[in-house]
Amino acid sequence: FWNLGNLFDISSSEPALVHEFTPDRGWTKEVLDKKLENLAQVIKLMNDRQGPDLLGICEVENQQIAQKLLEKVGRDDYQIAQYNDGPDIRGIDTSLIYSTKIFRFINANGYNVYLRYPTRDIFHVHLEVIENAAQLDVILNHWPARVRGGQCETEPLRITAAECCGRVVDNILKYQADELKFMQDNLQSDESIAKLNERWNKNVLVMGDFNDQPFDKSIINHL
């Protein structure tokens, strides 16, 4: 996973107007092309200079600019997993790049994090490994930053995002209340136990820019 650091297009979209990423403030095509080249160079160095087969990214303004990045990288098997235009007020999103030689795209969903002001959503991508048909659920995050006062003042925002992410994981791994009614009545049967094990035995990868450390409350107590 990589935070690409304000990868805005040069077109003056409404969210970008209040920031510095516009041509009249120096965010020109030449500057953007240089940034794309630098990002692509690093991506190509990953995974023993082959590039990663799975790469989560954030702070990307739109699908067009993400596609330009892929063109700079130059791997013809790279695909963007259903770009999700989230509710973030700055217009930056989270997305996933995957190799079509390794993975087959199944579907994707965005889940809003319910704060007073819109923030980046939790992006869930369901993939299938082509070689063995194994299912993989990738959950991408970009939690609220430590700004306007630091870690303590903004911690509740990341805790809210952590709870949202945890709920997405639970929806994959656990039966919900309406589903459990049948399971509880038949919990001792071999069939029910097999269903529970099948539901729990999922491949879930949670990645992102959490803006917190592994030992912070949002991770330990909530995610």
Side-chain angles (χ1 to χ4, degrees):
F1 189 91
W2 196 11
N3 183 327
L4 300 183
N6 295 309
L7 186 56
F8 281 93
D9 207 341
I10 56 173
S11 59
S12 298
S13 62
E14 190 65 30
L17 289 175
V18 297
H19 298 285
E20 66 269 28
F21 298 98
T22 53
D24 60 338
R25 297 188 181 184
W27 189 246
T28 62
K29 182 180 183 302
E30 291 74 20
V31 175
L32 173 60
D33 285 344
K34 185 60 178 176
K35 181 178 179 69
L36 289 171
E37 289 174 8
N38 290 341
L39 293 173
Q41 182 179 6
V42 175
I43 291 172
K44 287 188 284 187
L45 288 173
M46 297 177 185
N47 190 23
D48 198 21
R49 297 183 181 271
Q50 299 179 59
D53 296 320
L54 197 65
L55 176 65
I57 55 175
C58 71
E59 295 206 5
V60 182
E61 184 181 11
N62 53 47
Q63 183 169 356
Q64 291 72 31
I65 199 68
Q67 194 62 48
K68 289 180 182 178
L69 175 61
L70 294 194
E71 292 170 3
K72 293 283 187 181
V73 174
R75 268 185 56 166
D76 57 6
D77 61 320
Y78 271 170
Q79 185 70 36
I80 300 168
Q82 184 184 306
Y83 189 89
N84 191 56
D85 191 9
D88 179 67
I89 196 168
R90 293 182 63 222
I92 52 175
D93 296 311
T94 303
S95 192
L96 181 69
I97 298 168
Y98 68 97
S99 168
T100 56
K101 294 179 180 178
I102 307 296
F103 301 100
R104 181 181 295 109
F105 174 81
I106 305 298
N107 55 48
N109 292 289
Y111 296 87
N112 287 343
V113 179
Y114 290 101
L115 302 174
R116 178 173 294 181
Y117 301 103
T119 189
R120 282 85 60 167
D121 60 357
I122 307 294
F123 190 40
H124 170 209
V125 180
H126 185 192
L127 300 172
E128 181 180 80
V129 180
I130 294 174
E131 183 179 1
N132 58 10
Q135 305 298 298
L136 175 64
D137 289 281
V138 185
I139 302 172
L140 300 106
N141 300 259
H142 185 194
W143 294 359
R146 300 187 180 203
V147 294
R148 301 183 183 89
Q151 193 269 343
C152 292
E153 288 79 359
T154 58
E155 185 176 56
L157 307 180
R158 290 183 294 281
I159 287 175
T160 303
E163 286 288 336
C164 180
C165 182
R167 189 168 62 250
V168 175
V169 174
D170 282 354
N171 287 339
I172 297 169
L173 296 180
K174 298 179 181 180
Y175 282 100
Q176 304 308 304
D178 56 339
E179 300 171 306
L180 271 177
K181 188 177 187 311
F182 169 79
M183 300 295 292
Q184 287 171 342
D185 295 338
N186 302 273
L187 196 55
Q188 299 305 315
S189 71
D190 291 341
E191 181 184 359
S192 293
I193 293 174
K195 285 184 177 180
L196 283 170
N197 286 333
E198 181 182 2
R199 186 68 175 259
W200 183 252
N201 187 26
K202 298 287 184 69
N203 301 304
V204 178
L205 174 61
V206 177
M207 59 164 64
D209 182 353
F210 301 100
N211 277 305
D212 262 345
Q213 299 296 335
F215 48 78
D216 284 321
K217 290 180 181 178
S218 63
I219 303 292
I220 292 178
N221 297 340
H222 296 273
L223 179 58

PDB file of all heavy atoms in Angstrom, residues 135-162:
ATOM      1  N   GLN A 135     -10.506 -17.238  -2.894  1.00  0.00           N
ATOM      2  CA  GLN A 135     -11.129 -15.927  -2.787  1.00  0.00           C
ATOM      3  C   GLN A 135     -10.296 -15.020  -1.874  1.00  0.00           C
ATOM      4  O   GLN A 135      -9.778 -15.465  -0.845  1.00  0.00           O
ATOM      5  CB  GLN A 135     -12.543 -16.062  -2.219  1.00  0.00           C
ATOM      6  CG  GLN A 135     -13.433 -17.017  -3.008  1.00  0.00           C
ATOM      7  CD  GLN A 135     -13.641 -16.566  -4.433  1.00  0.00           C
ATOM      8  OE1 GLN A 135     -14.193 -15.492  -4.688  1.00  0.00           O
ATOM      9  NE2 GLN A 135     -13.202 -17.374  -5.392  1.00  0.00           N
ATOM     10  N   LEU A 136     -10.176 -13.769  -2.245  1.00  0.00           N
ATOM     11  CA  LEU A 136      -9.413 -12.798  -1.459  1.00  0.00           C
ATOM     12  C   LEU A 136     -10.216 -11.519  -1.334  1.00  0.00           C
ATOM     13  O   LEU A 136     -10.607 -10.919  -2.346  1.00  0.00           O
ATOM     14  CB  LEU A 136      -8.060 -12.505  -2.116  1.00  0.00           C
ATOM     15  CG  LEU A 136      -7.208 -11.409  -1.465  1.00  0.00           C
ATOM     16  CD1 LEU A 136      -6.803 -11.813  -0.047  1.00  0.00           C
ATOM     17  CD2 LEU A 136      -5.965 -11.113  -2.305  1.00  0.00           C
ATOM     18  N   ASP A 137     -10.467 -11.093  -0.093  1.00  0.00           N
ATOM     19  CA  ASP A 137     -11.141  -9.825   0.178  1.00  0.00           C
ATOM     20  C   ASP A 137     -10.103  -8.812   0.631  1.00  0.00           C
ATOM     21  O   ASP A 137      -9.442  -9.005   1.660  1.00  0.00           O
ATOM     22  CB  ASP A 137     -12.205 -10.004   1.252  1.00  0.00           C
ATOM     23  CG  ASP A 137     -13.402 -10.803   0.763  1.00  0.00           C
ATOM     24  OD1 ASP A 137     -14.239 -10.216   0.063  1.00  0.00           O
ATOM     25  OD2 ASP A 137     -13.486 -12.014   1.072  1.00  0.00           O
ATOM     26  N   VAL A 138      -9.944  -7.749  -0.142  1.00  0.00           N
ATOM     27  CA  VAL A 138      -8.979  -6.688   0.167  1.00  0.00           C
ATOM     28  C   VAL A 138      -9.744  -5.464   0.641  1.00  0.00           C
ATOM     29  O   VAL A 138     -10.650  -4.982  -0.053  1.00  0.00           O
ATOM     30  CB  VAL A 138      -8.118  -6.335  -1.053  1.00  0.00           C
ATOM     31  CG1 VAL A 138      -7.047  -5.324  -0.669  1.00  0.00           C
ATOM     32  CG2 VAL A 138      -7.483  -7.584  -1.646  1.00  0.00           C
ATOM     33  N   ILE A 139      -9.403  -4.961   1.817  1.00  0.00           N
ATOM     34  CA  ILE A 139     -10.109  -3.820   2.412  1.00  0.00           C
ATOM     35  C   ILE A 139      -9.116  -2.680   2.561  1.00  0.00           C
ATOM     36  O   ILE A 139      -8.132  -2.779   3.309  1.00  0.00           O
ATOM     37  CB  ILE A 139     -10.722  -4.206   3.762  1.00  0.00           C
ATOM     38  CG1 ILE A 139     -11.676  -5.386   3.573  1.00  0.00           C
ATOM     39  CG2 ILE A 139     -11.460  -3.019   4.367  1.00  0.00           C
ATOM     40  CD1 ILE A 139     -12.185  -5.974   4.862  1.00  0.00           C
ATOM     41  N   LEU A 140      -9.374  -1.599   1.834  1.00  0.00           N
ATOM     42  CA  LEU A 140      -8.434  -0.481   1.759  1.00  0.00           C
ATOM     43  C   LEU A 140      -8.931   0.687   2.602  1.00  0.00           C
ATOM     44  O   LEU A 140     -10.114   1.025   2.592  1.00  0.00           O
ATOM     45  CB  LEU A 140      -8.247  -0.049   0.304  1.00  0.00           C
ATOM     46  CG  LEU A 140      -7.699  -1.152  -0.606  1.00  0.00           C
ATOM     47  CD1 LEU A 140      -8.802  -1.691  -1.505  1.00  0.00           C
ATOM     48  CD2 LEU A 140      -6.536  -0.666  -1.430  1.00  0.00           C
ATOM     49  N   ASN A 141      -7.978   1.304   3.298  1.00  0.00           N
ATOM     50  CA  ASN A 141      -8.296   2.365   4.252  1.00  0.00           C
ATOM     51  C   ASN A 141      -7.405   3.585   4.061  1.00  0.00           C
ATOM     52  O   ASN A 141      -6.236   3.451   3.711  1.00  0.00           O
ATOM     53  CB  ASN A 141      -8.076   1.863   5.684  1.00  0.00           C
ATOM     54  CG  ASN A 141      -8.927   0.672   6.055  1.00  0.00           C
ATOM     55  OD1 ASN A 141      -9.940   0.805   6.727  1.00  0.00           O
ATOM     56  ND2 ASN A 141      -8.516  -0.525   5.627  1.00  0.00           N
ATOM     57  N   HIS A 142      -7.972   4.743   4.347  1.00  0.00           N
ATOM     58  CA  HIS A 142      -7.185   5.964   4.504  1.00  0.00           C
ATOM     59  C   HIS A 142      -7.879   6.774   5.590  1.00  0.00           C
ATOM     60  O   HIS A 142      -8.790   7.552   5.327  1.00  0.00           O
ATOM     61  CB  HIS A 142      -7.116   6.752   3.192  1.00  0.00           C
ATOM     62  CG  HIS A 142      -6.225   7.957   3.277  1.00  0.00           C
ATOM     63  ND1 HIS A 142      -6.225   8.947   2.323  1.00  0.00           N
ATOM     64  CD2 HIS A 142      -5.300   8.337   4.197  1.00  0.00           C
ATOM     65  CE1 HIS A 142      -5.347   9.877   2.659  1.00  0.00           C
ATOM     66  NE2 HIS A 142      -4.777   9.535   3.788  1.00  0.00           N
ATOM     67  N   TRP A 143      -7.444   6.565   6.817  1.00  0.00           N
ATOM     68  CA  TRP A 143      -8.142   7.132   7.960  1.00  0.00           C
ATOM     69  C   TRP A 143      -7.792   8.610   8.161  1.00  0.00           C
ATOM     70  O   TRP A 143      -6.773   9.096   7.658  1.00  0.00           O
ATOM     71  CB  TRP A 143      -7.783   6.346   9.221  1.00  0.00           C
ATOM     72  CG  TRP A 143      -8.291   4.932   9.204  1.00  0.00           C
ATOM     73  CD1 TRP A 143      -9.027   4.317   8.226  1.00  0.00           C
ATOM     74  CD2 TRP A 143      -8.084   3.931  10.198  1.00  0.00           C
ATOM     75  NE1 TRP A 143      -9.292   3.021   8.552  1.00  0.00           N
ATOM     76  CE2 TRP A 143      -8.725   2.745   9.757  1.00  0.00           C
ATOM     77  CE3 TRP A 143      -7.411   3.920  11.426  1.00  0.00           C
ATOM     78  CZ2 TRP A 143      -8.716   1.572  10.509  1.00  0.00           C
ATOM     79  CZ3 TRP A 143      -7.396   2.754  12.175  1.00  0.00           C
ATOM     80  CH2 TRP A 143      -8.057   1.597  11.717  1.00  0.00           C
ATOM     81  N   PRO A 144      -8.642   9.353   8.900  1.00  0.00           N
ATOM     82  CA  PRO A 144      -8.405  10.779   9.132  1.00  0.00           C
ATOM     83  C   PRO A 144      -7.032  11.055   9.729  1.00  0.00           C
ATOM     84  O   PRO A 144      -6.521  10.296  10.559  1.00  0.00           O
ATOM     85  CB  PRO A 144      -9.524  11.156  10.112  1.00  0.00           C
ATOM     86  CG  PRO A 144     -10.628  10.195   9.799  1.00  0.00           C
ATOM     87  CD  PRO A 144      -9.936   8.905   9.469  1.00  0.00           C
ATOM     88  N   ALA A 145      -6.451  12.163   9.297  1.00  0.00           N
ATOM     89  CA  ALA A 145      -5.066  12.501   9.664  1.00  0.00           C
ATOM     90  C   ALA A 145      -4.977  13.118  11.053  1.00  0.00           C
ATOM     91  O   ALA A 145      -5.977  13.524  11.658  1.00  0.00           O
ATOM     92  CB  ALA A 145      -4.483  13.457   8.629  1.00  0.00           C
ATOM     93  N   ARG A 146      -3.742  13.191  11.550  1.00  0.00           N
ATOM     94  CA  ARG A 146      -3.463  13.812  12.842  1.00  0.00           C
ATOM     95  C   ARG A 146      -3.226  15.306  12.637  1.00  0.00           C
ATOM     96  O   ARG A 146      -2.093  15.786  12.717  1.00  0.00           O
ATOM     97  CB  ARG A 146      -2.251  13.175  13.499  1.00  0.00           C
ATOM     98  CG  ARG A 146      -2.400  11.687  13.764  1.00  0.00           C
ATOM     99  CD  ARG A 146      -1.214  11.184  14.561  1.00  0.00           C
ATOM    100  NE  ARG A 146      -1.316   9.767  14.842  1.00  0.00           N
ATOM    101  CZ  ARG A 146      -0.692   9.168  15.849  1.00  0.00           C
ATOM    102  NH1 ARG A 146       0.082   9.878  16.655  1.00  0.00           N
ATOM    103  NH2 ARG A 146      -0.836   7.872  16.048  1.00  0.00           N
ATOM    104  N   VAL A 147      -4.274  16.022  12.370  1.00  0.00           N
ATOM    105  CA  VAL A 147      -4.163  17.459  12.137  1.00  0.00           C
ATOM    106  C   VAL A 147      -5.074  18.187  13.117  1.00  0.00           C
ATOM    107  O   VAL A 147      -5.850  17.570  13.849  1.00  0.00           O
ATOM    108  CB  VAL A 147      -4.554  17.826  10.689  1.00  0.00           C
ATOM    109  CG1 VAL A 147      -3.565  17.239   9.706  1.00  0.00           C
ATOM    110  CG2 VAL A 147      -5.966  17.339  10.369  1.00  0.00           C
ATOM    111  N   ARG A 148      -4.956  19.517  13.138  1.00  0.00           N
ATOM    112  CA  ARG A 148      -5.799  20.367  13.991  1.00  0.00           C
ATOM    113  C   ARG A 148      -5.752  19.926  15.454  1.00  0.00           C
ATOM    114  O   ARG A 148      -6.769  19.692  16.089  1.00  0.00           O
ATOM    115  CB  ARG A 148      -7.244  20.382  13.499  1.00  0.00           C
ATOM    116  CG  ARG A 148      -7.397  20.885  12.072  1.00  0.00           C
ATOM    117  CD  ARG A 148      -8.877  20.950  11.684  1.00  0.00           C
ATOM    118  NE  ARG A 148      -9.016  21.356  10.308  1.00  0.00           N
ATOM    119  CZ  ARG A 148      -9.026  20.507   9.286  1.00  0.00           C
ATOM    120  NH1 ARG A 148      -8.893  19.219   9.516  1.00  0.00           N
ATOM    121  NH2 ARG A 148      -9.163  20.938   8.066  1.00  0.00           N
ATOM    122  N   GLY A 149      -4.546  19.779  15.967  1.00  0.00           N
ATOM    123  CA  GLY A 149      -4.422  19.478  17.380  1.00  0.00           C
ATOM    124  C   GLY A 149      -3.610  18.249  17.685  1.00  0.00           C
ATOM    125  O   GLY A 149      -3.196  18.049  18.829  1.00  0.00           O
ATOM    126  N   GLY A 150      -3.393  17.378  16.679  1.00  0.00           N
ATOM    127  CA  GLY A 150      -2.528  16.242  16.920  1.00  0.00           C
ATOM    128  C   GLY A 150      -3.278  14.948  17.163  1.00  0.00           C
ATOM    129  O   GLY A 150      -4.447  14.800  16.830  1.00  0.00           O
ATOM    130  N   GLN A 151      -2.583  14.006  17.784  1.00  0.00           N
ATOM    131  CA  GLN A 151      -3.079  12.643  17.909  1.00  0.00           C
ATOM    132  C   GLN A 151      -4.316  12.537  18.796  1.00  0.00           C
ATOM    133  O   GLN A 151      -5.304  11.894  18.432  1.00  0.00           O
ATOM    134  CB  GLN A 151      -1.956  11.738  18.427  1.00  0.00           C
ATOM    135  CG  GLN A 151      -2.253  10.250  18.310  1.00  0.00           C
ATOM    136  CD  GLN A 151      -2.930   9.677  19.534  1.00  0.00           C
ATOM    137  OE1 GLN A 151      -2.909  10.298  20.588  1.00  0.00           O
ATOM    138  NE2 GLN A 151      -3.526   8.511  19.388  1.00  0.00           N
ATOM    139  N   CYS A 152      -4.283  13.151  19.963  1.00  0.00           N
ATOM    140  CA  CYS A 152      -5.373  12.973  20.930  1.00  0.00           C
ATOM    141  C   CYS A 152      -6.684  13.568  20.436  1.00  0.00           C
ATOM    142  O   CYS A 152      -7.748  12.949  20.555  1.00  0.00           O
ATOM    143  CB  CYS A 152      -4.987  13.611  22.268  1.00  0.00           C
ATOM    144  SG  CYS A 152      -3.642  12.755  23.116  1.00  0.00           S
ATOM    145  N   GLU A 153      -6.633  14.780  19.886  1.00  0.00           N
ATOM    146  CA  GLU A 153      -7.856  15.454  19.463  1.00  0.00           C
ATOM    147  C   GLU A 153      -8.517  14.758  18.279  1.00  0.00           C
ATOM    148  O   GLU A 153      -9.739  14.801  18.130  1.00  0.00           O
ATOM    149  CB  GLU A 153      -7.559  16.914  19.107  1.00  0.00           C
ATOM    150  CG  GLU A 153      -7.268  17.809  20.303  1.00  0.00           C
ATOM    151  CD  GLU A 153      -5.853  17.644  20.830  1.00  0.00           C
ATOM    152  OE1 GLU A 153      -5.105  16.818  20.272  1.00  0.00           O
ATOM    153  OE2 GLU A 153      -5.501  18.338  21.797  1.00  0.00           O
ATOM    154  N   THR A 154      -7.711  14.134  17.415  1.00  0.00           N
ATOM    155  CA  THR A 154      -8.266  13.498  16.223  1.00  0.00           C
ATOM    156  C   THR A 154      -8.447  11.989  16.372  1.00  0.00           C
ATOM    157  O   THR A 154      -8.959  11.337  15.472  1.00  0.00           O
ATOM    158  CB  THR A 154      -7.360  13.769  15.007  1.00  0.00           C
ATOM    159  OG1 THR A 154      -6.037  13.273  15.287  1.00  0.00           O
ATOM    160  CG2 THR A 154      -7.279  15.259  14.695  1.00  0.00           C
ATOM    161  N   GLU A 155      -8.043  11.440  17.509  1.00  0.00           N
ATOM    162  CA  GLU A 155      -8.135   9.989  17.719  1.00  0.00           C
ATOM    163  C   GLU A 155      -9.561   9.450  17.556  1.00  0.00           C
ATOM    164  O   GLU A 155      -9.748   8.376  16.960  1.00  0.00           O
ATOM    165  CB  GLU A 155      -7.582   9.633  19.093  1.00  0.00           C
ATOM    166  CG  GLU A 155      -7.526   8.138  19.357  1.00  0.00           C
ATOM    167  CD  GLU A 155      -6.883   7.835  20.684  1.00  0.00           C
ATOM    168  OE1 GLU A 155      -7.381   8.361  21.720  1.00  0.00           O
ATOM    169  OE2 GLU A 155      -5.888   7.086  20.702  1.00  0.00           O
ATOM    170  N   PRO A 156     -10.604  10.141  18.067  1.00  0.00           N
ATOM    171  CA  PRO A 156     -11.962   9.614  17.896  1.00  0.00           C
ATOM    172  C   PRO A 156     -12.365   9.435  16.428  1.00  0.00           C
ATOM    173  O   PRO A 156     -13.166   8.546  16.112  1.00  0.00           O
ATOM    174  CB  PRO A 156     -12.841  10.666  18.585  1.00  0.00           C
ATOM    175  CG  PRO A 156     -11.943  11.314  19.582  1.00  0.00           C
ATOM    176  CD  PRO A 156     -10.594  11.337  18.932  1.00  0.00           C
ATOM    177  N   LEU A 157     -11.809  10.244  15.534  1.00  0.00           N
ATOM    178  CA  LEU A 157     -12.123  10.105  14.120  1.00  0.00           C
ATOM    179  C   LEU A 157     -11.582   8.798  13.569  1.00  0.00           C
ATOM    180  O   LEU A 157     -12.251   8.092  12.808  1.00  0.00           O
ATOM    181  CB  LEU A 157     -11.551  11.287  13.341  1.00  0.00           C
ATOM    182  CG  LEU A 157     -11.914  12.687  13.825  1.00  0.00           C
ATOM    183  CD1 LEU A 157     -11.266  13.742  12.936  1.00  0.00           C
ATOM    184  CD2 LEU A 157     -13.426  12.880  13.858  1.00  0.00           C
ATOM    185  N   ARG A 158     -10.349   8.456  13.956  1.00  0.00           N
ATOM    186  CA  ARG A 158      -9.748   7.199  13.489  1.00  0.00           C
ATOM    187  C   ARG A 158     -10.394   5.987  14.155  1.00  0.00           C
ATOM    188  O   ARG A 158     -10.496   4.916  13.545  1.00  0.00           O
ATOM    189  CB  ARG A 158      -8.235   7.225  13.710  1.00  0.00           C
ATOM    190  CG  ARG A 158      -7.525   8.205  12.772  1.00  0.00           C
ATOM    191  CD  ARG A 158      -6.024   8.168  12.948  1.00  0.00           C
ATOM    192  NE  ARG A 158      -5.604   8.646  14.252  1.00  0.00           N
ATOM    193  CZ  ARG A 158      -5.522   9.935  14.597  1.00  0.00           C
ATOM    194  NH1 ARG A 158      -5.834  10.875  13.706  1.00  0.00           N
ATOM    195  NH2 ARG A 158      -5.130  10.301  15.798  1.00  0.00           N
ATOM    196  N   ILE A 159     -10.848   6.163  15.396  1.00  0.00           N
ATOM    197  CA  ILE A 159     -11.576   5.080  16.056  1.00  0.00           C
ATOM    198  C   ILE A 159     -12.874   4.790  15.313  1.00  0.00           C
ATOM    199  O   ILE A 159     -13.257   3.629  15.124  1.00  0.00           O
ATOM    200  CB  ILE A 159     -11.846   5.436  17.534  1.00  0.00           C
ATOM    201  CG1 ILE A 159     -10.549   5.327  18.333  1.00  0.00           C
ATOM    202  CG2 ILE A 159     -12.930   4.548  18.123  1.00  0.00           C
ATOM    203  CD1 ILE A 159     -10.671   5.783  19.774  1.00  0.00           C
ATOM    204  N   THR A 160     -13.552   5.825  14.859  1.00  0.00           N
ATOM    205  CA  THR A 160     -14.779   5.644  14.071  1.00  0.00           C
ATOM    206  C   THR A 160     -14.485   4.904  12.774  1.00  0.00           C
ATOM    207  O   THR A 160     -15.220   3.989  12.376  1.00  0.00           O
ATOM    208  CB  THR A 160     -15.424   7.005  13.767  1.00  0.00           C
ATOM    209  OG1 THR A 160     -15.699   7.689  14.992  1.00  0.00           O
ATOM    210  CG2 THR A 160     -16.720   6.836  12.986  1.00  0.00           C
ATOM    211  N   ALA A 161     -13.391   5.289  12.099  1.00  0.00           N
ATOM    212  CA  ALA A 161     -13.003   4.597  10.867  1.00  0.00           C
ATOM    213  C   ALA A 161     -12.642   3.143  11.151  1.00  0.00           C
ATOM    214  O   ALA A 161     -12.973   2.245  10.373  1.00  0.00           O
ATOM    215  CB  ALA A 161     -11.820   5.319  10.218  1.00  0.00           C
ATOM    216  N   ALA A 162     -11.969   2.892  12.291  1.00  0.00           N
ATOM    217  CA  ALA A 162     -11.596   1.528  12.663  1.00  0.00           C
ATOM    218  C   ALA A 162     -12.830   0.667  12.892  1.00  0.00           C
ATOM    219  O   ALA A 162     -12.883  -0.496  12.479  1.00  0.00           O
ATOM    220  CB  ALA A 162     -10.720   1.548  13.912  1.00  0.00           C
TER     221      ALA A 162
END
